[in-house]
Amino acid sequence: MKHILLPVSLMLMMIPAPTDAQDFKTLYSGTGSLARDNNSKVLCGSVRPVWRDETTFLYKTSEASGEVVYEVNTAACTKVVSSADSLDALLSRQPKPYYVDIEDEDQFGNRIQAEPTVSPDGRWEAFVKNGNVWLRDLSKAPSQAGAAPVKFIPGRGPEKDWRPNGLSETESDVQLSFDGTQVDYYNQLYWSPDSRHLAAVRFHKVDERQIPLIYSSPDDQLQPRMKLINYAKPGDALSQSAFALFDMDSRRQIPVDMAPFDNQYGMMFGQWSPGSDFFTFEYNRRGHQLYQVATVSAADGAVKVAVEEKSETFVYYADLYRHYLKDGEHMLWVSERDDWRHLYMVGLRDGSLRQLTSGAWNVREVLDVNEEDGYILFCANGMNAVNEKGGVPKGEDPYDKHLLKYDIASGNIKDLTPENAWHRISLSPGGKVFVDVMSRPDLPPVTVVRDIDGAKVMDLQKCDISLLKKTGWTMPEVFVAKGRDGVTDIWGTIFRPRNFDPHRKYPVIEYIYAGPHDSHVDKEFNVFNRGTKLTELGFIVVMIDGMGTDNRSKSFQDVCWRNLKDAGFPDRILWMKAAAKKYGYMDLSRVGIFGYSAGGQNSLAALLFFGDFYKVAVPCCGCHDNRMDKIWWNELWMGWPIGPWYSENSNVDNAWRLRDDQDLLLINGEVDNNVDPASTLQVVNALVKADKDFCQYYMPMHSHNLGEEWVTRHICQFFYEKIINKKTK
């Protein structure tokens, strides 16, 4: 590969760019095995341990002699060669993910079909029959213990009989509820630990919107096939839940006032307290501006809010976290109420709230709550960074993730991974040691084993990229510049071509994904990504996290609220201008952009709303109008009920803005079950009505994942012909 790519790169530097498609194909042919070739020249790379027990794990790595499997004993600090068979055998014993049919869940992930459940003391079995809650005394009907009810199909009735397994009712069967119907039926049952109370959920099922997917070219028949899939969209009616409580001593239902918890996006059961005196539930109000955790008293059904999150924009519920402590009185909680994501201790009985961590940084995930030894292990980012709220001035990338240890008694926090890098952590099964892989886009991975106090137990390996460098591969650069407010640091990465020549002018392509649900620029070392083939063709590729994305402050993310068309573009453009000012070889008169899904929406918005800067775009499977896309993602950022801002942000309603000096290629799949394929077709319709010129590839039998070589080649060819070839014509 070295002998092919090097002459191509030299040719690009020495002679004018080719001016026909055949020249592109000649250049592109050298990129076919790029991922394999680049990765084959990386030795002793990132470690992915597979733990056997608390002190030993296996992992596979590439060395000059080929792939090697090692077994590491952290107690003895030894690393010995093992076998691939041993690793495969260990992998085969790893827990497999558990999947349920999405048709059996509501929009909040709760099971729609209740299963019979036996009380902790073994005396009772609760089950659902005819949509209502029933109780069976197992001491009087032991032979029927565990009998499963016939499946209840909402809107169509039972499969064959309303009785469990078609069995006759017995004298031990007692009906506890009488308000269940085919529309409002009980679907979840939860026993208290002392078996004296039963919590249940009554579910009001709303039929979900369905959209058609047309399979134009099925393998098994000539004619097209249509499939309808459930697909709720913003503004649609949603299923609702209500909690009920039953007392076993009196066989009666205790009223629970659920009126304050109507208009749900979702509601889910939490847990019973160890003492059985209350249970908790979580309530997410439609519009995502109020999220509450409440308790229900077993004695009288009284409902009390223990903790709540409110926002004038949105509460991003996926960033919330809860952990019930063993005393049953307290819950560990994560909140952004002070503009940063931090740990809090909630008193479930009295609603007290105590902040445990603070500062201009974010808790990313909690790995272990060790009450016995008195500490919490969690990952965080930004603690060692300069950011918009004035963090510790060490200059580290604020997105770098570290492992921290919080001492519950003293409140002290220790960074167990202090090196300036992104730290990928793998805890041992007992949480006493961990593997730490530290890297950055410009730092090949270094892997060590540490103990629970952060002390290094042993060095594992250090990545060697000397062979890769000999091919002319260029190290990425992490770059930072000020955003739109002149204060906030915006971070991104610059990827330069192989055999880079600073005396040349290079057009710039941005790969974008500005989904507010996360930050998206990879912070680990990687020698191949979506932009690598474009750098081989003579482009500089950039990736940036602008305002409106996650993992900085809440106010940083709030920019996206009802404003997805923004996508951080004011920050991205300033970032590129700052980079071009420093590096004169970045030609900002030739800027292209592409992205997938939300990135597809972003890349078309770049042309429509920021057309003075972006000239060429390839949006792939984009959600171009947020009224057309899935309900959870779009109502979260764009709000509910639907307002005029949905149209203001729509690429469909603003398609007329496409300019004559811009080039657009739309790509999407006809059977995309993530983003409604009609979203891109509505853009096409609007462009035609506005008499605009554009290109489209509507991919038969392709879903949301367009990841095949044909698509990649045509993305690269479009940019090459519209930017590099166009420059010389």
Side-chain angles (χ1 to χ4, degrees):
M1 192 61 186
K2 171 182 176 182
H3 300 295
I4 297 175
L5 287 177
L6 185 56
V8 169
S9 301
L10 289 174
M11 176 181 69
L12 281 171
M13 290 187 286
M14 296 170 60
I15 64 175
T19 58
D20 57 55
Q22 180 58 44
D23 290 317
F24 164 80
K25 290 182 179 179
T26 301
L27 293 174
Y28 190 81
S29 65
T31 69
S33 59
L34 201 55
R36 182 182 68 248
D37 290 345
N38 279 4
N39 285 309
S40 70
K41 294 175 175 60
V42 175
L43 305 181
C44 301
S46 189
V47 172
R48 298 187 180 275
V50 181
W51 291 91
R52 172 178 288 156
D53 52 42
E54 179 59 23
T55 60
T56 60
F57 63 86
L58 277 70
Y59 75 96
K60 180 167 61 177
T61 190
S62 294
E63 297 184 349
S65 59
E67 288 191 341
V68 182
V69 173
Y70 285 107
E71 179 174 325
V72 177
N73 186 311
T74 61
C77 296
T78 59
K79 183 176 81 169
V80 298
V81 174
S82 185
S83 68
D85 290 343
S86 298
L87 180 58
D88 291 341
L90 190 56
L91 284 168
S92 69
R93 296 198 295 270
Q94 299 299 303
K96 299 295 189 297
Y98 174 69
Y99 298 102
V100 296
D101 187 342
I102 194 170
E103 300 295 331
D104 290 335
E105 293 186 346
D106 65 17
Q107 73 273 4
F108 213 62
N110 293 321
R111 291 302 297 264
I112 291 175
Q113 173 66 24
E115 300 293 337
T117 176
V118 177
S119 61
D121 63 6
R123 179 181 177 185
W124 309 103
E125 180 180 55
F127 58 92
V128 173
K129 181 172 65 175
N130 294 13
N132 279 297
V133 180
W134 286 67
L135 184 69
R136 175 167 293 164
D137 188 338
L138 296 179
S139 65
K140 297 179 180 179
S143 63
Q144 297 184 36
V150 171
K151 184 173 183 181
F152 176 72
I153 305 173
R156 289 187 287 164
E159 286 184 330
K160 46 184 178 177
D161 195 307
W162 286 93
R163 300 188 181 97
N165 282 350
L167 298 173
S168 299
E169 296 178 11
T170 70
E171 293 181 359
S172 67
D173 289 357
V174 177
Q175 186 171 351
L176 296 181
S177 75
F178 297 88
D179 53 352
T181 68
Q182 289 190 358
V183 176
D184 293 277
Y185 56 91
Y186 288 85
N187 74 327
Q188 297 171 56
L189 305 170
Y190 303 97
W191 283 103
S192 64
D194 64 3
S195 303
R196 295 183 60 192
H197 291 88
L198 178 73
V201 177
R202 187 161 61 91
F203 188 65
H204 177 76
K205 180 75 168 62
V206 172
D207 289 336
E208 193 170 340
R209 176 197 297 269
Q210 293 186 316
I211 63 170
L213 298 180
I214 306 298
Y215 293 74
S216 65
S217 312
D219 292 334
D220 60 343
Q221 66 184 49
L222 176 64
Q223 298 301 323
R225 177 183 292 117
M226 184 182 76
K227 179 181 179 181
L228 293 173
I229 64 170
N230 289 342
Y231 196 98
K233 295 186 178 184
D236 286 358
L238 292 177
S239 300
Q240 301 287 289
S241 297
F243 283 97
L245 179 64
F246 301 95
D247 179 81
M248 294 300 102
D249 293 337
S250 63
R251 310 290 197 278
R252 68 182 180 89
Q253 183 170 348
I254 301 173
V256 179
D257 183 9
M258 298 302 299
F261 306 97
D262 62 357
N263 191 25
Q264 305 152 14
Y265 174 77
M267 191 156 62
M268 68 177 182
F269 181 82
Q271 71 169 35
W272 275 98
S273 66
S276 299
D277 53 340
F278 67 87
F279 68 85
T280 63
F281 69 87
E282 298 183 26
Y283 164 66
N284 186 356
R285 190 170 68 187
R286 186 86 180 261
H288 304 292
Q289 293 178 306
L290 175 66
Y291 196 103
Q292 296 176 322
V293 178
T295 63
V296 178
S297 168
D300 57 10
V303 182
K304 182 172 61 177
V305 173
V307 64
E308 68 179 17
E309 300 297 322
K310 287 184 177 180
S311 175
E312 294 182 359
T313 57
F314 54 86
V315 175
Y316 184 21
Y317 57 91
D319 277 348
L320 299 177
Y321 167 83
R322 79 284 300 147
H323 174 84
Y324 294 96
L325 271 63
K326 294 176 181 178
D327 64 4
E329 305 284 325
H330 297 87
M331 179 181 70
L332 193 64
W333 184 246
V334 166
S335 170
E336 291 183 304
R337 63 187 57 218
D338 74 347
D339 205 32
W340 299 90
R341 205 177 312 143
H342 282 294
L343 293 173
Y344 292 77
M345 189 66 73
V346 177
L348 292 172
R349 292 187 185 276
D350 59 11
S352 60
L353 188 69
R354 179 167 62 93
Q355 187 166 2
L356 303 184
T357 63
S358 62
W361 50 275
N362 287 315
V363 172
R364 291 287 289 275
E365 57 184 324
V366 178
L367 301 185
D368 186 25
V369 180
N370 191 315
E371 295 185 52
E372 292 76 14
D373 295 330
Y375 63 81
I376 302 169
L377 287 181
F378 63 93
C379 292
N381 70 281
M383 177 172 273
N384 303 323
V386 174
N387 53 50
E388 69 269 23
K389 297 297 181 182
V392 180
K394 295 185 179 180
E396 185 178 350
D397 187 329
Y399 296 95
D400 283 349
K401 192 159 65 172
H402 291 246
L403 180 63
L404 279 65
K405 184 178 183 181
Y406 176 87
D407 183 79
I408 295 175
S410 68
N412 293 330
I413 299 174
K414 181 179 182 181
D415 188 349
L416 305 183
T417 55
E419 294 84 358
N420 180 344
W422 171 284
H423 296 264
R424 183 157 50 79
I425 305 300
S426 176
L427 278 174
S428 64
K432 299 304 181 184
V433 293
F434 62 92
V435 176
D436 175 13
V437 182
M438 59 191 92
S439 73
R440 298 189 308 264
D442 57 354
L443 175 68
V446 176
T447 306
V448 300
V449 179
R450 302 182 191 268
D451 67 21
I452 203 61
D453 292 316
K456 188 190 297 185
V457 173
M458 60 185 296
D459 293 308
L460 209 55
Q461 66 181 32
K462 182 176 181 180
C463 183
D464 178 3
I465 61 168
S466 56
L467 293 176
L468 184 64
K469 286 182 175 180
K470 290 179 180 178
T471 70
W473 179 83
T474 306
M475 182 77 77
E477 178 186 354
V478 177
F479 188 79
V480 59
K482 296 300 180 183
R484 69 188 75 181
D485 59 4
V487 177
T488 305
D489 286 335
I490 304 298
W491 291 75
T493 307
I494 301 172
F495 300 89
R496 298 176 177 85
R498 190 186 302 267
N499 296 313
F500 169 72
D501 180 1
H503 302 294
R504 274 194 59 186
K505 282 281 191 179
Y506 292 91
V508 178
I509 302 292
E510 179 179 2
Y511 173 69
I512 187 170
Y513 191 96
H517 55 278
D518 206 347
S519 53
H520 304 286
V521 178
D522 192 359
K523 298 301 176 180
E524 296 184 89
F525 184 79
N526 199 334
V527 297
F528 188 88
N529 57 44
R530 290 188 185 271
T532 301
K533 290 193 174 186
L534 287 166
T535 63
E536 293 292 312
L537 297 173
F539 293 97
I540 284 178
V541 174
V542 299
M543 300 179 188
I544 310 157
D545 279 315
M547 291 186 187
T549 52
D550 199 10
N551 299 321
R552 299 285 286 276
S553 65
K554 176 69 163 62
S555 52
F556 186 99
Q557 188 183 24
D558 276 348
V559 171
C560 76
W561 171 241
R562 295 181 177 177
N563 188 32
L564 288 181
K565 71 177 187 298
D566 178 279
F569 281 122
D571 313 303
R572 296 168 185 276
I573 292 169
L574 287 172
W575 185 95
M576 279 186 266
K577 287 181 176 179
K581 183 177 180 180
K582 181 176 181 179
Y583 303 119
Y585 46 76
M586 293 177 65
D587 184 357
L588 298 190
S589 69
R590 300 182 288 164
V591 179
I593 186 169
F594 77 111
Y596 294 77
S597 195
Q601 178 182 12
N602 302 147
S603 51
L604 179 51
L607 296 190
L608 302 181
F609 301 106
F610 299 90
D612 289 339
F613 188 79
Y614 295 94
K615 301 302 181 186
V616 184
V618 183
C620 300
C621 47
C623 43
H624 295 293
D625 188 308
N626 300 104
R627 295 165 293 190
M628 288 290 294
D629 196 34
K630 64 195 76 67
I631 188 170
W632 79 267
W633 197 88
N634 295 275
E635 282 195 6
L636 182 54
W637 318 118
M638 294 293 289
W640 178 90
I642 292 174
W645 47 89
Y646 273 85
S647 175
E648 293 163 5
N649 283 265
S650 169
N651 289 342
V652 177
D653 293 353
N654 290 279
W656 59 271
R657 296 178 181 273
L658 188 70
R659 296 169 17 168
D660 291 340
D661 63 340
Q662 295 174 322
D663 293 293
L664 171 65
L665 169 61
L666 295 159
I667 307 178
N668 74 307
E670 69 173 358
V671 291
D672 189 336
N673 61 358
N674 186 327
V675 173
D676 189 340
S679 188
T680 296
L681 295 180
Q682 289 181 355
V683 172
V684 170
N685 185 47
L687 290 170
V688 171
K689 287 182 176 180
D691 195 27
K692 299 295 182 179
D693 293 328
F694 64 96
C695 299
Q696 184 198 13
Y697 295 142
Y698 190 55
M699 305 296 293
M701 306 301 290
H702 281 63
S703 64
H704 197 61
N705 180 11
L706 297 175
E708 69 171 36
E709 174 56 26
W710 191 94
V711 174
T712 302
R713 174 167 62 86
H714 280 80
I715 292 173
C716 292
Q717 185 169 358
F718 190 78
F719 282 128
Y720 189 81
E721 292 180 344
K722 299 301 181 181
I723 296 179
I724 290 181
N725 268 358
K726 191 172 183 177
K727 178 73 174 178
T728 62
K729 289 182 179 178

